[in-house]
């Protein structure tokens, strides 16, 4: 097996999981700041709770993946949706 290829089932080597997570979360937090969904206050509370338990933003995004996908579609944000789906495919 070549180790320079992406293979998330073996290793996260060559995948910038943290950078991808930060990029997606920054875009999600832009929506949170706009308050364009009643879901966002709940999301913020759950994110803070997850962080207090030692969980990272990748886990937070994973926990709310279906809801976030639906919201991003409803908010007509294909760029963030594409980044989230890439993060899902490569890192979750």
């Amino acid at each position: 097996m070549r180790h320079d290829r992406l293979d998330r089932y073996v290793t996260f080597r060559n995948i910038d999981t943290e950078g991808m997570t930060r990029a997606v979360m920054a875009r999600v937090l832009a929506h949170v700041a706009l308050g364009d969904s009643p879901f966002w206050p709940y999301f913020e509370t759950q994110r803070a709770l997850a962080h207090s338990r030692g969980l990272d933003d990748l886990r937070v995004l994973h926990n709310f993946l279906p809801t976030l996908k639906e919201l991003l579609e409803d908010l007509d944000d294909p760029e963030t949706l594409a980044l989230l789906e890439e993060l899902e495919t490569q890192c979750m």
Side-chain angles (χ1 to χ4, degrees):
M1 177 178 159
R2 292 182 41 199
H3 290 286
D4 59 338
R5 292 183 21 211
L6 298 179
D7 188 348
R8 70 185 179 122
Y9 296 105
V10 175
T11 180
F12 286 99
R13 184 185 352 212
N14 300 328
I15 302 174
D16 183 13
T17 300
E18 290 180 18
M20 292 172 68
T21 300
R22 280 192 304 273
V24 171
M25 187 57 79
R27 295 181 70 101
V28 166
L29 292 177
H31 284 289
V32 171
L34 291 174
D36 51 15
S37 169
F39 170 74
W40 297 133
Y42 175 76
F43 179 80
E44 285 185 292
T45 300
Q46 294 303 306
R47 181 179 183 229
L49 182 60
H51 287 180
S52 74
R53 294 179 175 164
L55 302 174
D56 62 10
D57 280 337
L58 180 62
R59 178 65 181 266
V60 173
L61 292 170
H62 182 265
N63 287 347
F64 293 102
L65 194 58
T67 303
L68 290 171
K69 285 182 174 184
E70 184 177 326
L71 275 171
L72 293 169
E73 287 175 6
D74 291 348
L75 294 169
D76 194 29
D77 186 350
E79 294 87 8
T80 304
L81 182 58
L83 289 173
L84 180 61
E85 288 175 344
E86 181 180 7
L87 181 67
E88 175 188 19
T89 299
Q90 293 188 19
C91 303
M92 293 183 186

